[in-house]
Amino acid sequence: MDQPRPRHPPLKSPIVERSDLQTVGQRAVSGVLTLVFWTIWAYLWLPLLSLLAWAVGFQQAYKYVVVRGGYEELLNLIGAYTLVIVLLGGSLVGWATYNILRYGRLPMRTGKTVVPHEDIARYFRQGPIAVATWQAAQRLYVKHNEKGEVAGVEILAAGEALPDAEKATTLQ
Amino acid sequence: MPSLPTPADVFSIMDFMIGYSYYYPLFMAYLWMTGAMFFYLRFERPTRDQPPGPPELREYPMVCVLVPCHNEGRTIGDTVDYLLASVYPNFEILLVNDGSADETRRILDDLAERSPKVRVIHFAQNQGKAVALTTASLMTSAEYLACIDADALLDPEALTWMMKHLIESPRVAAVTGNPRIRNRSTLLGRLQVGEYSSIIGLIKRAQRTYGRVFTVSGVVACFRKSALHEAGYWSQDILTEDIDVSWKLQLLHWDVRFEPNALCWVLTPETVRGLWRQRLRWAMGGIQVLSKHLRIEHMFRWKSRRMWPVAIEYVTSVGWAYAMLFVAVFWFLGKFIDFTPEYDIETLFSGWAGVVLATTCLLQIGVSLTLDSRYDPNPARNLFWMIWYPIAYWMLNMAATVAALPAVLFRRNKKRARWISPDRGIRP
């Protein structure tokens, strides 16, 4: 596997790792959750733990795993699971390979696909000249109707305050 | 019900439920791993003659980076700093102040004064993310729209990586990037480092191997405006507008791609309440999109057949949540009530089945760490928390899905999805 590439040192690191800022309650919840899930994790491994126990001399595990044939169940499971996994994974890889071979080199949607500016303006029920002006402006103030459609647009000059009567409010 | 049924055993409801709840996540994990490894070998593995850094493009058309903001005064400065450091040579940044009540308005105006690349739209009232993105699409002449959340830091090379797909293939409508977790101070933060690698990254790669994705990541995606126009832009009434737009585009036979090199550093919830709200919203949004498109006739046309497996997989996952709940409830009640033997569940996933499940978790983590080692230096640092996360993920998924289905059924139709400021974790 490749080494990680260096990425733009002038920017500050995006990673925030400050566990010291946690409250006591958060630490407690984290500790409990970690303990619970590690217990579940260990529980799942019980048969193997039993096997290990047998290896260091505990005869009970030997009785269950070898004498009573516990390993046979494992072999059966592994055989059945492997078959299903190979069928599922093989289908996916086969499907992907078929598509690459069948369509990989075919030119698709090669026609001009850019929607004209006028069509976009019409879709939003706005005039194309007005839209072109808005698209060139650096600051805009936009009002919407009940349906979320653009109902009014003002171009704001640099430093100009927003219209007082229409101060931004939050609808929740 | 003394032991786990084999795949051939579907004789009773209880056998079926136990088998479903165990085998579905198990086999899906292997399907994701297989698909992800195929994706890596076919599309992602660097070739020997490949120079470091982003690819050289044959042209660099204008890209407009849309950043909807609702009360983002604390985060937007860093977001814009990262965007301005982009190595893509031809872009503008369009910041949308969606009715913020904090100092966002002033900060956005200051940012616009500092750089001619930055433009600002102030909304008179809060409208929600879908309306913010749709309105912003009208206010730019660019054919390519990169949509970034206001608390996300876009890697300077990400735009070029995403644009590669849109330039090279006219059938590509959208490219989703690779979100990486920024905040790793708490258990929940570290868990999600594992989740974004071992679950989300694997699923995205596997779905691309199949050819259709369930969703772009709403936090980082680049779109072709003509395709969005054909699809009717973003839907206002869906809680997860990213899932909905992905389905709309793909049902119109546009391609949606995943670009793992397009990194985007994101903040995630670090409280149980915040995480729960986020996951409930995702689950509700997924169910909304599924039910919306299943009601539309074109979903069942033969031409839409490539989306059927995506829909079937989601229906199966919703069914799995209820099957798992069914089994867990019977197991718990069995501690207090004497059921007949066929309904008596002694233990959940004991014996070798448990070992197989635990081994699968390990394999899944191992595959994901291998594939992701190029993007996230030293991810194994969080192994202590990641190792059992696939199990925790399925449990969280079950709870959120079970709660989401009735919430969607009883939600008022066409109700506008609006912003709720999310938990962004612990920060200095």
Side-chain angles (χ1 to χ4, degrees), chain A residues 124 144 148, chain B residues 66 68 98 123 127-137 232-242 244 248 416-419:
Chain A
F124 285 96
H144 294 85
Chain B
L66 310 182
D98 186 10
F123 284 2
Q127 299 292 331
K129 188 175 176 182
V131 174
L133 291 172
T134 303
T135 305
S137 307
Y233 299 90
W234 289 269
S235 304
Q236 298 175 20
D237 54 340
I238 300 289
L239 285 167
T240 46
E241 78 297 325
D242 45 359
D244 183 66
K248 288 199 294 191
R416 181 96 64 90
R418 294 193 192 269
W419 298 91

mmCIF file of all heavy atoms in Angstrom, chain A residues 124 144 148, chain B residues 66 68 98 123 127-137 232-242 244 248 416-419:
data_model
loop_
_atom_site.group_PDB
_atom_site.id
_atom_site.type_symbol
_atom_site.label_atom_id
_atom_site.label_comp_id
_atom_site.label_asym_id
_atom_site.label_seq_id
_atom_site.Cartn_x
_atom_site.Cartn_y
_atom_site.Cartn_z
ATOM 1 N N PHE A 124 -37.335 28.731 -13.592
ATOM 2 C CA PHE A 124 -37.506 29.438 -12.314
ATOM 3 C C PHE A 124 -38.483 30.617 -12.433
ATOM 4 O O PHE A 124 -38.622 31.406 -11.517
ATOM 5 C CB PHE A 124 -36.150 29.947 -11.820
ATOM 6 C CG PHE A 124 -35.262 28.851 -11.262
ATOM 7 C CD1 PHE A 124 -34.295 28.244 -12.047
ATOM 8 C CD2 PHE A 124 -35.397 28.436 -9.951
ATOM 9 C CE1 PHE A 124 -33.482 27.239 -11.532
ATOM 10 C CE2 PHE A 124 -34.592 27.431 -9.425
ATOM 11 C CZ PHE A 124 -33.635 26.825 -10.225
ATOM 12 N N HIS A 144 -38.446 34.613 -0.879
ATOM 13 C CA HIS A 144 -39.142 33.463 -1.458
ATOM 14 C C HIS A 144 -40.624 33.518 -1.120
ATOM 15 O O HIS A 144 -41.016 34.120 -0.118
ATOM 16 C CB HIS A 144 -38.563 32.148 -0.900
ATOM 17 C CG HIS A 144 -37.146 31.886 -1.310
ATOM 18 N ND1 HIS A 144 -36.066 32.419 -0.626
ATOM 19 C CD2 HIS A 144 -36.619 31.157 -2.323
ATOM 20 C CE1 HIS A 144 -34.948 32.019 -1.210
ATOM 21 N NE2 HIS A 144 -35.249 31.254 -2.231
ATOM 22 N N GLY A 148 -41.398 28.230 -1.701
ATOM 23 C CA GLY A 148 -39.933 28.187 -1.773
ATOM 24 C C GLY A 148 -39.400 28.690 -3.104
ATOM 25 O O GLY A 148 -38.218 28.520 -3.408
ATOM 26 N N LEU B 66 -21.162 25.780 -3.924
ATOM 27 C CA LEU B 66 -22.327 26.270 -3.171
ATOM 28 C C LEU B 66 -22.197 25.856 -1.714
ATOM 29 O O LEU B 66 -22.018 24.671 -1.414
ATOM 30 C CB LEU B 66 -23.623 25.672 -3.735
ATOM 31 C CG LEU B 66 -23.861 25.753 -5.244
ATOM 32 C CD1 LEU B 66 -25.218 25.147 -5.585
ATOM 33 C CD2 LEU B 66 -23.792 27.176 -5.716
ATOM 34 N N PRO B 68 -24.446 26.298 1.547
ATOM 35 C CA PRO B 68 -25.586 26.796 2.321
ATOM 36 C C PRO B 68 -25.202 26.941 3.798
ATOM 37 O O PRO B 68 -24.555 26.047 4.362
ATOM 38 C CB PRO B 68 -26.646 25.700 2.153
ATOM 39 C CG PRO B 68 -26.037 24.625 1.330
ATOM 40 C CD PRO B 68 -24.594 24.896 1.154
ATOM 41 N N ASP B 98 -28.907 31.322 4.863
ATOM 42 C CA ASP B 98 -30.307 30.892 4.844
ATOM 43 C C ASP B 98 -31.008 31.311 6.134
ATOM 44 O O ASP B 98 -31.313 30.489 6.995
ATOM 45 C CB ASP B 98 -30.365 29.374 4.650
ATOM 46 C CG ASP B 98 -31.783 28.864 4.476
ATOM 47 O OD1 ASP B 98 -32.693 29.696 4.312
ATOM 48 O OD2 ASP B 98 -31.986 27.640 4.523
ATOM 49 N N PHE B 123 -30.865 35.211 2.366
ATOM 50 C CA PHE B 123 -32.302 34.943 2.250
ATOM 51 C C PHE B 123 -33.047 35.771 3.296
ATOM 52 O O PHE B 123 -32.583 35.923 4.434
ATOM 53 C CB PHE B 123 -32.606 33.465 2.506
ATOM 54 C CG PHE B 123 -32.255 32.537 1.375
ATOM 55 C CD1 PHE B 123 -31.658 33.012 0.211
ATOM 56 C CD2 PHE B 123 -32.547 31.186 1.460
ATOM 57 C CE1 PHE B 123 -31.340 32.161 -0.841
ATOM 58 C CE2 PHE B 123 -32.237 30.317 0.422
ATOM 59 C CZ PHE B 123 -31.632 30.793 -0.726
ATOM 60 N N GLN B 127 -35.212 28.918 4.623
ATOM 61 C CA GLN B 127 -35.947 28.135 3.630
ATOM 62 C C GLN B 127 -35.599 26.654 3.639
ATOM 63 O O GLN B 127 -36.295 25.846 3.029
ATOM 64 C CB GLN B 127 -35.673 28.698 2.225
ATOM 65 C CG GLN B 127 -36.106 30.132 2.021
ATOM 66 C CD GLN B 127 -37.613 30.287 2.052
ATOM 67 O OE1 GLN B 127 -38.357 29.365 1.692
ATOM 68 N NE2 GLN B 127 -38.081 31.433 2.500
ATOM 69 N N GLY B 128 -34.502 26.266 4.234
ATOM 70 C CA GLY B 128 -34.081 24.856 4.195
ATOM 71 C C GLY B 128 -33.013 24.632 3.135
ATOM 72 O O GLY B 128 -32.864 25.412 2.199
ATOM 73 N N LYS B 129 -32.283 23.534 3.293
ATOM 74 C CA LYS B 129 -31.111 23.288 2.442
ATOM 75 C C LYS B 129 -31.484 23.103 0.969
ATOM 76 O O LYS B 129 -30.789 23.589 0.074
ATOM 77 C CB LYS B 129 -30.366 22.046 2.945
ATOM 78 C CG LYS B 129 -29.039 21.825 2.259
ATOM 79 C CD LYS B 129 -28.293 20.650 2.889
ATOM 80 C CE LYS B 129 -26.991 20.365 2.130
ATOM 81 N NZ LYS B 129 -26.273 19.208 2.689
ATOM 82 N N ALA B 130 -32.580 22.396 0.697
ATOM 83 C CA ALA B 130 -32.947 22.121 -0.698
ATOM 84 C C ALA B 130 -33.240 23.421 -1.442
ATOM 85 O O ALA B 130 -32.789 23.613 -2.578
ATOM 86 C CB ALA B 130 -34.159 21.187 -0.738
ATOM 87 N N VAL B 131 -33.985 24.329 -0.803
ATOM 88 C CA VAL B 131 -34.296 25.610 -1.453
ATOM 89 C C VAL B 131 -33.010 26.437 -1.586
ATOM 90 O O VAL B 131 -32.789 27.114 -2.607
ATOM 91 C CB VAL B 131 -35.367 26.383 -0.652
ATOM 92 C CG1 VAL B 131 -35.580 27.769 -1.236
ATOM 93 C CG2 VAL B 131 -36.680 25.618 -0.654
ATOM 94 N N ALA B 132 -32.140 26.377 -0.571
ATOM 95 C CA ALA B 132 -30.881 27.134 -0.637
ATOM 96 C C ALA B 132 -30.048 26.684 -1.836
ATOM 97 O O ALA B 132 -29.539 27.510 -2.607
ATOM 98 C CB ALA B 132 -30.092 26.943 0.664
ATOM 99 N N LEU B 133 -29.926 25.386 -2.025
ATOM 100 C CA LEU B 133 -29.116 24.874 -3.147
ATOM 101 C C LEU B 133 -29.782 25.191 -4.485
ATOM 102 O O LEU B 133 -29.119 25.589 -5.446
ATOM 103 C CB LEU B 133 -28.926 23.361 -2.998
ATOM 104 C CG LEU B 133 -28.028 22.903 -1.839
ATOM 105 C CD1 LEU B 133 -28.076 21.380 -1.684
ATOM 106 C CD2 LEU B 133 -26.594 23.356 -2.055
ATOM 107 N N THR B 134 -31.097 25.025 -4.539
ATOM 108 C CA THR B 134 -31.811 25.270 -5.804
ATOM 109 C C THR B 134 -31.719 26.745 -6.192
ATOM 110 O O THR B 134 -31.436 27.077 -7.357
ATOM 111 C CB THR B 134 -33.291 24.838 -5.667
ATOM 112 O OG1 THR B 134 -33.320 23.465 -5.279
ATOM 113 C CG2 THR B 134 -34.035 24.999 -6.970
ATOM 114 N N THR B 135 -31.936 27.633 -5.222
ATOM 115 C CA THR B 135 -31.856 29.065 -5.517
ATOM 116 C C THR B 135 -30.437 29.440 -5.949
ATOM 117 O O THR B 135 -30.245 30.209 -6.897
ATOM 118 C CB THR B 135 -32.265 29.885 -4.268
ATOM 119 O OG1 THR B 135 -33.559 29.457 -3.855
ATOM 120 C CG2 THR B 135 -32.284 31.373 -4.565
ATOM 121 N N ALA B 136 -29.448 28.886 -5.253
ATOM 122 C CA ALA B 136 -28.057 29.192 -5.599
ATOM 123 C C ALA B 136 -27.722 28.719 -7.014
ATOM 124 O O ALA B 136 -26.937 29.359 -7.719
ATOM 125 C CB ALA B 136 -27.115 28.543 -4.590
ATOM 126 N N SER B 137 -28.340 27.616 -7.451
ATOM 127 C CA SER B 137 -28.098 27.127 -8.818
ATOM 128 C C SER B 137 -28.523 28.161 -9.856
ATOM 129 O O SER B 137 -27.914 28.280 -10.920
ATOM 130 C CB SER B 137 -28.899 25.847 -9.089
ATOM 131 O OG SER B 137 -28.643 24.902 -8.108
ATOM 132 N N GLY B 232 -35.092 18.280 -11.983
ATOM 133 C CA GLY B 232 -35.917 19.187 -11.183
ATOM 134 C C GLY B 232 -35.245 19.642 -9.894
ATOM 135 O O GLY B 232 -35.931 19.979 -8.919
ATOM 136 N N TYR B 233 -33.921 19.672 -9.892
ATOM 137 C CA TYR B 233 -33.128 20.151 -8.746
ATOM 138 C C TYR B 233 -33.463 19.364 -7.464
ATOM 139 O O TYR B 233 -33.868 18.222 -7.538
ATOM 140 C CB TYR B 233 -33.307 21.674 -8.572
ATOM 141 C CG TYR B 233 -32.834 22.435 -9.805
ATOM 142 C CD1 TYR B 233 -33.701 22.731 -10.857
ATOM 143 C CD2 TYR B 233 -31.504 22.813 -9.933
ATOM 144 C CE1 TYR B 233 -33.265 23.385 -12.001
ATOM 145 C CE2 TYR B 233 -31.059 23.472 -11.083
ATOM 146 C CZ TYR B 233 -31.946 23.755 -12.100
ATOM 147 O OH TYR B 233 -31.507 24.403 -13.228
ATOM 148 N N TRP B 234 -33.286 20.008 -6.288
ATOM 149 C CA TRP B 234 -33.433 19.287 -5.021
ATOM 150 C C TRP B 234 -34.881 19.378 -4.519
ATOM 151 O O TRP B 234 -35.514 20.432 -4.635
ATOM 152 C CB TRP B 234 -32.502 19.889 -3.963
ATOM 153 C CG TRP B 234 -31.059 19.603 -4.213
ATOM 154 C CD1 TRP B 234 -30.342 18.546 -3.749
ATOM 155 C CD2 TRP B 234 -30.130 20.394 -4.992
ATOM 156 N NE1 TRP B 234 -29.028 18.621 -4.192
ATOM 157 C CE2 TRP B 234 -28.875 19.737 -4.944
ATOM 158 C CE3 TRP B 234 -30.229 21.574 -5.723
ATOM 159 C CZ2 TRP B 234 -27.741 20.239 -5.597
ATOM 160 C CZ3 TRP B 234 -29.116 22.064 -6.374
ATOM 161 C CH2 TRP B 234 -27.885 21.401 -6.308
ATOM 162 N N SER B 235 -35.377 18.307 -3.927
ATOM 163 C CA SER B 235 -36.759 18.284 -3.431
ATOM 164 C C SER B 235 -36.833 18.902 -2.038
ATOM 165 O O SER B 235 -36.037 18.570 -1.171
ATOM 166 C CB SER B 235 -37.272 16.839 -3.368
ATOM 167 O OG SER B 235 -37.144 16.230 -4.622
ATOM 168 N N GLN B 236 -37.854 19.752 -1.857
ATOM 169 C CA GLN B 236 -37.963 20.492 -0.588
ATOM 170 C C GLN B 236 -38.537 19.664 0.553
ATOM 171 O O GLN B 236 -38.325 19.973 1.715
ATOM 172 C CB GLN B 236 -38.894 21.691 -0.771
ATOM 173 C CG GLN B 236 -38.438 22.698 -1.763
ATOM 174 C CD GLN B 236 -39.492 23.775 -1.951
ATOM 175 O OE1 GLN B 236 -40.370 23.957 -1.105
ATOM 176 N NE2 GLN B 236 -39.424 24.493 -3.040
ATOM 177 N N ASP B 237 -39.332 18.649 0.215
ATOM 178 C CA ASP B 237 -40.095 17.955 1.253
ATOM 179 C C ASP B 237 -39.425 16.674 1.736
ATOM 180 O O ASP B 237 -40.018 15.917 2.494
ATOM 181 C CB ASP B 237 -41.503 17.636 0.729
ATOM 182 C CG ASP B 237 -41.460 16.865 -0.581
ATOM 183 O OD1 ASP B 237 -40.414 16.918 -1.253
ATOM 184 O OD2 ASP B 237 -42.454 16.212 -0.929
ATOM 185 N N ILE B 238 -38.199 16.419 1.288
ATOM 186 C CA ILE B 238 -37.498 15.199 1.695
ATOM 187 C C ILE B 238 -36.423 15.573 2.727
ATOM 188 O O ILE B 238 -35.667 16.523 2.521
ATOM 189 C CB ILE B 238 -36.834 14.531 0.466
ATOM 190 C CG1 ILE B 238 -37.882 14.165 -0.590
ATOM 191 C CG2 ILE B 238 -36.029 13.309 0.885
ATOM 192 C CD1 ILE B 238 -38.794 13.031 -0.229
ATOM 193 N N LEU B 239 -36.383 14.832 3.815
ATOM 194 C CA LEU B 239 -35.427 15.164 4.886
ATOM 195 C C LEU B 239 -33.978 14.990 4.443
ATOM 196 O O LEU B 239 -33.081 15.646 4.952
ATOM 197 C CB LEU B 239 -35.695 14.271 6.101
ATOM 198 C CG LEU B 239 -36.925 14.639 6.917
ATOM 199 C CD1 LEU B 239 -37.282 13.521 7.878
ATOM 200 C CD2 LEU B 239 -36.709 15.931 7.671
ATOM 201 N N THR B 240 -33.736 14.064 3.524
ATOM 202 C CA THR B 240 -32.382 13.847 3.016
ATOM 203 C C THR B 240 -32.392 14.142 1.524
ATOM 204 O O THR B 240 -32.596 13.244 0.703
ATOM 205 C CB THR B 240 -31.950 12.388 3.257
ATOM 206 O OG1 THR B 240 -33.014 11.547 2.851
ATOM 207 C CG2 THR B 240 -31.625 12.133 4.705
ATOM 208 N N GLU B 241 -32.177 15.423 1.195
ATOM 209 C CA GLU B 241 -32.250 15.834 -0.211
ATOM 210 C C GLU B 241 -31.160 15.173 -1.049
ATOM 211 O O GLU B 241 -31.316 14.999 -2.265
ATOM 212 C CB GLU B 241 -32.182 17.365 -0.309
ATOM 213 C CG GLU B 241 -30.816 18.008 -0.152
ATOM 214 C CD GLU B 241 -30.175 17.786 1.199
ATOM 215 O OE1 GLU B 241 -30.905 17.748 2.196
ATOM 216 O OE2 GLU B 241 -28.934 17.646 1.261
ATOM 217 N N ASP B 242 -30.059 14.733 -0.390
ATOM 218 C CA ASP B 242 -28.972 14.091 -1.138
ATOM 219 C C ASP B 242 -29.385 12.710 -1.659
ATOM 220 O O ASP B 242 -29.069 12.350 -2.795
ATOM 221 C CB ASP B 242 -27.700 13.998 -0.285
ATOM 222 C CG ASP B 242 -27.958 13.512 1.136
ATOM 223 O OD1 ASP B 242 -29.129 13.262 1.489
ATOM 224 O OD2 ASP B 242 -26.982 13.370 1.893
ATOM 225 N N ASP B 244 -32.468 11.749 -2.268
ATOM 226 C CA ASP B 244 -33.510 11.945 -3.268
ATOM 227 C C ASP B 244 -32.919 12.353 -4.620
ATOM 228 O O ASP B 244 -33.293 11.802 -5.659
ATOM 229 C CB ASP B 244 -34.482 13.018 -2.778
ATOM 230 C CG ASP B 244 -35.625 13.223 -3.734
ATOM 231 O OD1 ASP B 244 -36.434 12.288 -3.887
ATOM 232 O OD2 ASP B 244 -35.699 14.297 -4.357
ATOM 233 N N LYS B 248 -33.213 10.454 -8.245
ATOM 234 C CA LYS B 248 -33.815 11.119 -9.408
ATOM 235 C C LYS B 248 -32.866 11.083 -10.598
ATOM 236 O O LYS B 248 -33.264 10.790 -11.722
ATOM 237 C CB LYS B 248 -34.173 12.569 -9.053
ATOM 238 C CG LYS B 248 -35.366 12.694 -8.123
ATOM 239 C CD LYS B 248 -36.005 14.072 -8.117
ATOM 240 C CE LYS B 248 -35.160 15.166 -7.575
ATOM 241 N NZ LYS B 248 -35.890 16.431 -7.346
ATOM 242 N N ARG B 416 -42.213 21.016 4.503
ATOM 243 C CA ARG B 416 -40.875 21.439 4.107
ATOM 244 C C ARG B 416 -39.833 20.941 5.110
ATOM 245 O O ARG B 416 -40.031 21.069 6.321
ATOM 246 C CB ARG B 416 -40.841 22.968 4.029
ATOM 247 C CG ARG B 416 -39.505 23.561 3.600
ATOM 248 C CD ARG B 416 -39.490 23.838 2.115
ATOM 249 N NE ARG B 416 -40.464 24.832 1.734
ATOM 250 C CZ ARG B 416 -40.198 26.154 1.705
ATOM 251 N NH1 ARG B 416 -39.023 26.603 2.076
ATOM 252 N NH2 ARG B 416 -41.117 27.007 1.316
ATOM 253 N N ALA B 417 -38.726 20.388 4.611
ATOM 254 C CA ALA B 417 -37.624 19.977 5.485
ATOM 255 C C ALA B 417 -36.758 21.196 5.765
ATOM 256 O O ALA B 417 -36.219 21.795 4.846
ATOM 257 C CB ALA B 417 -36.808 18.887 4.800
ATOM 258 N N ARG B 418 -36.661 21.601 7.035
ATOM 259 C CA ARG B 418 -35.888 22.797 7.367
ATOM 260 C C ARG B 418 -34.703 22.436 8.236
ATOM 261 O O ARG B 418 -34.536 21.314 8.672
ATOM 262 C CB ARG B 418 -36.781 23.815 8.080
ATOM 263 C CG ARG B 418 -37.882 24.365 7.186
ATOM 264 C CD ARG B 418 -38.518 25.574 7.836
ATOM 265 N NE ARG B 418 -39.741 25.969 7.169
ATOM 266 C CZ ARG B 418 -39.792 26.849 6.182
ATOM 267 N NH1 ARG B 418 -38.720 27.406 5.719
ATOM 268 N NH2 ARG B 418 -40.966 27.165 5.637
ATOM 269 N N TRP B 419 -33.864 23.425 8.470
ATOM 270 C CA TRP B 419 -32.627 23.207 9.203
ATOM 271 C C TRP B 419 -32.870 22.995 10.688
ATOM 272 O O TRP B 419 -33.680 23.669 11.291
ATOM 273 C CB TRP B 419 -31.730 24.434 9.120
ATOM 274 C CG TRP B 419 -31.278 24.809 7.770
ATOM 275 C CD1 TRP B 419 -31.914 25.664 6.918
ATOM 276 C CD2 TRP B 419 -30.084 24.406 7.119
ATOM 277 N NE1 TRP B 419 -31.183 25.794 5.776
ATOM 278 C CE2 TRP B 419 -30.054 25.041 5.876
ATOM 279 C CE3 TRP B 419 -29.034 23.564 7.480
ATOM 280 C CZ2 TRP B 419 -29.023 24.879 4.982
ATOM 281 C CZ3 TRP B 419 -27.999 23.404 6.590
ATOM 282 C CH2 TRP B 419 -28.008 24.041 5.351
#
